[in-house]
Amino acid sequence: MSEKNRAGKRTARERLAVEREKQKASERRRRTLIVASSVVCVLGLAAVIGIVAANSGKDDSSDKAGPVVAPSGAKGEDALAIPVGKESARSTLTVWEDFRCPACKAFETAYRPTIHELTAAGKLRVEYHLATLIDGNMGGSGSRKAANAAACAQDAGKFPAYHDVLYENQPEETKDSFADTDKLIGLAAKVDGLETPAFRACVEGGTHDSWVVKSNQAFQNGHFGGTPTVLFNGKNIYADQSMTPAKLKQMVEEADKG
């Protein structure tokens, strides 16, 4: 066999080996996507990566739920939105979130100062919708119980502060620490005036559990990609990789000028 023929066969074998490696890599990626129960999302947080629950989660408590009791001041269709900010604000930020979701914490940590500034100035109104996707995908009841506790805080007029405390004290995603009502009640001590007998009874009794289940079902029906889902004046800005707190502030400022 000539040297030229041998070189040709060697080159063909090398191309075949490369192709096989590509096929193996593709198969590994396919298996990873099938096994994963959540997706990685980035919303203007280039340095922050969080696990986002896919919208296949279902709260196991739904078949045990009692009467739907919406928290005080809840707005929107079926009273499923907890509003923060003035109704006169020209911009509305709709946030779907789960208190056990790491990506939700990443979003809140990055955007919280800007959101607080804009709501305090009367330029932005935020409508929070609570979901329980991590309960459905990881097991447990911490998402639901934390959401119920947040609704109880809304009854007391303390939702924004308690909402922030929950994220500041979020356990690891695999740990269902928020399922412990004593922990949720203990965190209320970090909010002035929230730790009361009425709040304790609301948390321990799961007063708003059925409302939380209904809220999560509304999220499922909306076919959103995961949590957090963030809408600005109805437009989903979740996938906007260029979004930053500064850009959001600029959008709100421009809308406020009319």
Side-chain angles (χ1 to χ4, degrees):
M1 181 182 295
S2 68
E3 183 64 30
K4 183 177 180 180
N5 286 340
R6 282 196 296 270
K9 288 188 175 182
R10 187 165 55 249
T11 301
R13 286 197 300 271
E14 290 172 351
R15 286 199 300 267
L16 181 60
V18 170
E19 184 61 29
R20 285 174 177 170
E21 285 302 315
K22 288 181 179 179
Q23 291 176 352
K24 289 179 181 179
S26 177
E27 180 62 18
R28 285 195 297 269
R29 287 194 297 270
R30 187 186 69 82
R31 288 198 300 267
T32 299
L33 289 172
I34 292 174
V35 171
S37 62
S38 57
V39 298
V40 175
C41 81
V42 179
L43 179 59
L45 306 174
V48 182
I49 297 178
I51 302 301
V52 184
N55 69 349
S56 61
K58 181 180 179 182
D59 192 339
D60 292 336
S61 67
S62 58
D63 58 346
K64 308 172 186 176
V68 175
V69 180
S72 176
K75 302 290 185 179
E77 185 176 355
D78 294 329
L80 295 178
I82 295 180
V84 175
K86 296 180 179 179
E87 289 190 17
S88 59
R90 294 189 175 184
S91 294
T92 300
L93 197 69
T94 303
V95 181
W96 292 86
E97 59 184 12
D98 182 333
F99 288 110
R100 286 181 70 187
C101 167
C104 296
K105 178 179 180 178
F107 170 78
E108 289 293 338
T109 299
Y111 283 79
R112 180 185 302 151
T114 299
I115 290 174
H116 282 188
E117 176 187 348
L118 294 171
T119 54
K123 298 178 180 180
L124 178 68
R125 173 184 170 88
V126 185
E127 294 184 349
Y128 290 98
H129 295 259
L130 308 182
T132 61
L133 301 187
I134 303 298
D135 284 358
N137 289 317
M138 301 294 291
S141 59
S143 297
R144 172 172 54 83
K145 291 186 177 181
N148 171 69
C152 295
Q154 170 68 10
D155 289 339
K158 304 287 185 179
F159 174 82
Y162 189 67
H163 165 276
D164 292 351
V165 165
L166 287 175
Y167 279 116
E168 289 166 359
N169 293 272
Q170 184 188 76
E172 294 179 18
E173 186 182 15
T174 56
K175 295 182 179 179
D176 195 25
S177 302
F178 281 165
D180 182 356
T181 55
D182 285 339
K183 179 177 181 62
L184 295 170
I185 293 169
L187 290 175
K190 297 178 178 291
V191 179
D192 290 342
L194 180 56
E195 191 180 21
T196 63
F199 177 79
R200 175 181 289 274
C202 184
V203 173
E204 292 179 338
T207 298
H208 301 295
D209 278 355
S210 297
W211 176 83
V212 174
V213 171
K214 191 170 185 178
S215 178
N216 184 64
Q217 188 58 55
F219 181 79
Q220 301 291 341
N221 294 342
H223 302 292
F224 298 111
T227 52
T229 289
V230 184
L231 312 176
F232 178 74
N233 289 342
K235 179 182 178 181
N236 195 331
I237 60 173
Y238 172 83
D240 185 352
Q241 300 297 311
S242 69
M243 186 59 59
T244 63
K247 182 175 180 178
L248 175 62
K249 182 177 180 179
Q250 181 181 2
M251 292 165 63
V252 173
E253 297 282 5
E254 290 177 353
D256 189 61
K257 293 176 182 177

